[in-house]
Amino acid sequence: MTVYVERNINMIRLDKFLSEMGLGTRSEVKKLIKTGQIAINGTVAVKPETKVDIDADEVSVNGRIVKYQRYEYYLFNKPSGCVSATCDNVLDIDTEGLLLITNDGALSHELLSPSKHVAKTYYARIDGEVTWDDIIRFKEGIDIGEERPTKPAELVIKKSGSVSEIELTITEGKFHQVKRMFEALGKRVIYLKRISMGPLKLPDDLKTGTYRALTQAETDMLMQIKSGK
Ligand code: URA
């Protein structure tokens, strides 16, 4: 027997509504509710689990109306050969790995803007030997032909040899930055994959070319960044 459960997709919990609109993590917005700062249709709301009709109800925070906008967040394991210019201006065609696909412009800005210094970690294979000297050069900053040298980057050597394997964490995201940093040291990146961005990690079980919706825990971590924490 099949049981159909009718759900009103316009109804969502008040704490989820507030968190998705960038007012903080679930526990932070619960505090806003408990301290009487949130009203639904002019009446102070006290329960985080109260259901809100996103089209009909008016939610306000300290008197300021917050309109609901449905945002979607997906983790994509980008294959090489796929252009992603509309959702990420720093990944290039032959770079693989973690990409956040979202219509949440404010969050994208927080994650991708070079001025926000969100850490991004790449796994790379390098043609040639990567040495301890390179670790220091990356830490000190490298001249890649921009106005200023790159900010300190953390290089971890996984394997050093005629082809080396490394992980590099940068906090800027200048155009083709990883390749240009190695080029400046006379070395060539032959494979590049983004494995993390801020709190998001590329899941081991997310096959190249596939995507999945963010978990609640991942969304919560992003909401923390969006609310500027
Ligand atoms: N390609 C690069 O070379 N560097 C980046 O940081 C991203 C894509």
Side-chain angles (χ1 to χ4, degrees), residues 90-92 95 122 170 176-179 192:
V90 293
L91 264 183
D92 55 39
T95 299
Y122 292 84
I170 59 175
H176 291 188
Q177 182 168 339
V178 177
K179 288 178 183 157
L192 187 61

Short mmCIF file of all heavy atoms in Angstrom, two decimals, residues 90-92 95 122 170 176-179 192, ligand 1:
data_model
loop_
_atom_site.label_atom_id
_atom_site.label_comp_id
_atom_site.label_asym_id
_atom_site.label_seq_id
_atom_site.Cartn_x
_atom_site.Cartn_y
_atom_site.Cartn_z
N VAL A 90 36.86 31.54 -10.51
CA VAL A 90 38.28 31.22 -10.35
C VAL A 90 38.65 29.82 -10.83
O VAL A 90 39.81 29.54 -11.07
CB VAL A 90 38.76 31.39 -8.88
CG1 VAL A 90 38.72 32.84 -8.48
CG2 VAL A 90 37.96 30.54 -7.94
N LEU A 91 37.67 28.93 -10.93
CA LEU A 91 38.01 27.59 -11.39
C LEU A 91 38.15 27.62 -12.90
O LEU A 91 37.33 28.21 -13.58
CB LEU A 91 36.91 26.61 -11.03
CG LEU A 91 37.08 25.78 -9.75
CD1 LEU A 91 35.92 24.82 -9.61
CD2 LEU A 91 38.38 25.06 -9.73
N ASP A 92 39.15 26.95 -13.43
CA ASP A 92 39.28 26.98 -14.88
C ASP A 92 38.80 25.67 -15.49
O ASP A 92 38.45 24.74 -14.79
CB ASP A 92 40.70 27.36 -15.32
CG ASP A 92 41.73 26.45 -14.70
OD1 ASP A 92 41.47 25.25 -14.61
OD2 ASP A 92 42.80 26.95 -14.32
N THR A 95 40.36 22.40 -14.30
CA THR A 95 40.42 22.14 -12.86
C THR A 95 39.20 21.33 -12.45
O THR A 95 38.09 21.61 -12.88
CB THR A 95 40.47 23.47 -12.08
OG1 THR A 95 41.62 24.18 -12.46
CG2 THR A 95 40.50 23.22 -10.58
N TYR A 122 43.65 22.89 -2.51
CA TYR A 122 43.75 22.16 -3.77
C TYR A 122 44.71 21.00 -3.61
O TYR A 122 45.73 21.11 -2.92
CB TYR A 122 44.31 23.08 -4.88
CG TYR A 122 43.36 24.19 -5.26
CD1 TYR A 122 43.31 25.37 -4.52
CD2 TYR A 122 42.49 24.04 -6.33
CE1 TYR A 122 42.42 26.38 -4.86
CE2 TYR A 122 41.61 25.05 -6.68
CZ TYR A 122 41.58 26.21 -5.94
OH TYR A 122 40.71 27.20 -6.27
N ILE A 170 45.14 28.25 -0.19
CA ILE A 170 45.27 29.68 -0.47
C ILE A 170 44.05 30.39 0.11
O ILE A 170 43.02 29.77 0.35
CB ILE A 170 45.40 29.97 -1.99
CG1 ILE A 170 44.19 29.44 -2.76
CG2 ILE A 170 46.70 29.41 -2.54
CD1 ILE A 170 44.19 29.81 -4.24
N HIS A 176 43.48 31.82 -11.84
CA HIS A 176 44.48 30.74 -12.06
C HIS A 176 45.64 30.81 -11.07
O HIS A 176 46.79 30.55 -11.43
CB HIS A 176 45.02 30.79 -13.49
CG HIS A 176 44.00 30.40 -14.51
ND1 HIS A 176 44.31 30.22 -15.83
CD2 HIS A 176 42.67 30.16 -14.41
CE1 HIS A 176 43.20 29.88 -16.49
NE2 HIS A 176 42.21 29.84 -15.64
N GLN A 177 45.31 31.16 -9.85
CA GLN A 177 46.36 31.46 -8.86
C GLN A 177 47.33 30.31 -8.61
O GLN A 177 48.55 30.51 -8.57
CB GLN A 177 45.72 31.88 -7.53
CG GLN A 177 46.78 32.25 -6.50
CD GLN A 177 46.21 32.92 -5.30
OE1 GLN A 177 45.11 33.47 -5.34
NE2 GLN A 177 46.94 32.92 -4.21
N VAL A 178 46.79 29.10 -8.46
CA VAL A 178 47.67 27.97 -8.11
C VAL A 178 48.69 27.73 -9.23
O VAL A 178 49.90 27.62 -8.98
CB VAL A 178 46.83 26.70 -7.85
CG1 VAL A 178 47.73 25.51 -7.55
CG2 VAL A 178 45.86 26.94 -6.69
N LYS A 179 48.19 27.68 -10.45
CA LYS A 179 49.09 27.44 -11.58
C LYS A 179 50.13 28.54 -11.69
O LYS A 179 51.31 28.29 -11.94
CB LYS A 179 48.31 27.35 -12.89
CG LYS A 179 47.50 26.07 -12.98
CD LYS A 179 46.69 26.04 -14.25
CE LYS A 179 45.85 24.79 -14.29
NZ LYS A 179 44.70 24.89 -15.16
N LEU A 192 44.91 19.46 -11.28
CA LEU A 192 44.49 20.33 -10.18
C LEU A 192 43.05 20.03 -9.80
O LEU A 192 42.16 19.96 -10.65
CB LEU A 192 44.61 21.80 -10.61
CG LEU A 192 44.38 22.85 -9.53
CD1 LEU A 192 45.39 22.74 -8.40
CD2 LEU A 192 44.47 24.26 -10.14
N1 URA B 1 43.05 27.22 -11.35
C1 URA B 1 44.23 27.63 -10.82
O1 URA B 1 45.27 27.53 -11.42
N2 URA B 1 44.24 28.18 -9.59
C2 URA B 1 43.11 28.32 -8.88
O2 URA B 1 43.19 28.83 -7.75
C3 URA B 1 41.90 27.87 -9.43
C4 URA B 1 41.90 27.32 -10.67
#
